[in-house]
Amino acid sequence: MSLSRVSLKLASGAFALAMLTSFTAAPVHAASNEYVRVAGVATGDFLNIRNGPDVASPIIGRIPPTARGIALRASGIGKWVLVRYNGVVGWAHSRYLKPEIAEGSIAPLEAMRAGHYGVVGIKGFDVLNVRAFPSARSRKVAAIPPHARGIRVDRRHPNGWALVSYGPARGWVNMRYLAPASASAGR
């Protein structure tokens, strides 16, 4: 191989590495408000968040197998997508991610007619935490995306919390982050 070919390969490799490094370090805004959940990860295992879009990149975070409300930050490179989970932005393999809204979930119009609720007051890539008990100090059992609709309120607690169901998730949320689906549609 000639010296010019080696130089060209090294230069193109350095350029690609520089592009990946700058891409993962720079703030990236999602093209849409897409949220995903983990699927196909065994109980007791985690989906790794990596610094770059390959298995050789360092692990910078972990997502539990039942996690929901994972924000997609950008379309991917190959089978890898840029995600945000619990404040960590990095790359996850798309094989283990599925759309947040499960098949057969209640449609927004049906939700409004049924008196379901939507999330309000949660911004950007944050999520509404679902708790095991009606308290902010209780452990998180799930997360609901910031623009979710079709949340069923099963019971209200005198302290302002509500027992809710959203897809397979069930737990307690503070009612200040919920509004009837028709009222929350424009927020």
Side-chain angles (χ1 to χ4, degrees):
M1 188 179 283
S2 71
L3 184 57
S4 62
R5 277 189 166 168
V6 170
S7 297
L8 182 59
K9 281 189 174 194
L10 287 173
S12 64
F15 176 75
L17 182 60
M19 290 302 291
L20 280 175
T21 305
S22 65
F23 186 60
T24 57
V28 178
H29 301 286
S32 64
N33 290 328
E34 287 189 71
Y35 291 86
V36 294
R37 62 182 172 80
V38 174
V41 174
T43 302
D45 201 358
F46 293 89
L47 175 59
N48 293 323
I49 301 175
R50 295 185 178 272
N51 196 39
D54 64 73
V55 294
S57 292
I59 296 169
I60 58 173
R62 300 183 327 170
I63 306 173
T66 58
R68 300 178 66 92
I70 303 159
L72 284 180
R73 295 296 303 260
S75 57
I77 295 177
K79 294 184 185 253
W80 294 83
V81 291
L82 193 60
V83 299
R84 180 169 190 252
Y85 181 74
N86 280 352
V88 177
V89 177
W91 296 91
H93 200 284
S94 62
R95 174 182 181 184
Y96 302 104
L97 298 171
K98 300 293 180 216
E100 177 64 37
I101 303 300
E103 286 183 40
S105 64
I106 192 163
L109 184 57
E110 292 168 344
M112 286 183 222
R113 288 183 185 144
H116 283 68
Y117 288 75
V119 175
V120 294
I122 304 291
K123 303 289 183 194
F125 290 102
D126 206 355
V127 294
L128 176 58
N129 291 320
V130 180
R131 306 278 180 175
F133 301 100
S135 166
R137 293 186 176 145
S138 178
R139 70 178 169 84
K140 290 189 285 186
V141 295
I144 299 175
H147 304 292
R149 305 286 174 266
I151 301 163
R152 188 178 76 226
V153 173
D154 299 324
R155 187 173 72 190
R156 292 178 187 233
H157 193 277
N159 69 357
W161 287 70
L163 180 62
V164 301
S165 298
Y166 177 72
R170 183 171 163 87
W172 294 89
V173 300
N174 193 308
M175 280 298 293
R176 73 177 158 201
Y177 298 110
L178 295 179
S182 56
S184 66
R187 296 185 188 182

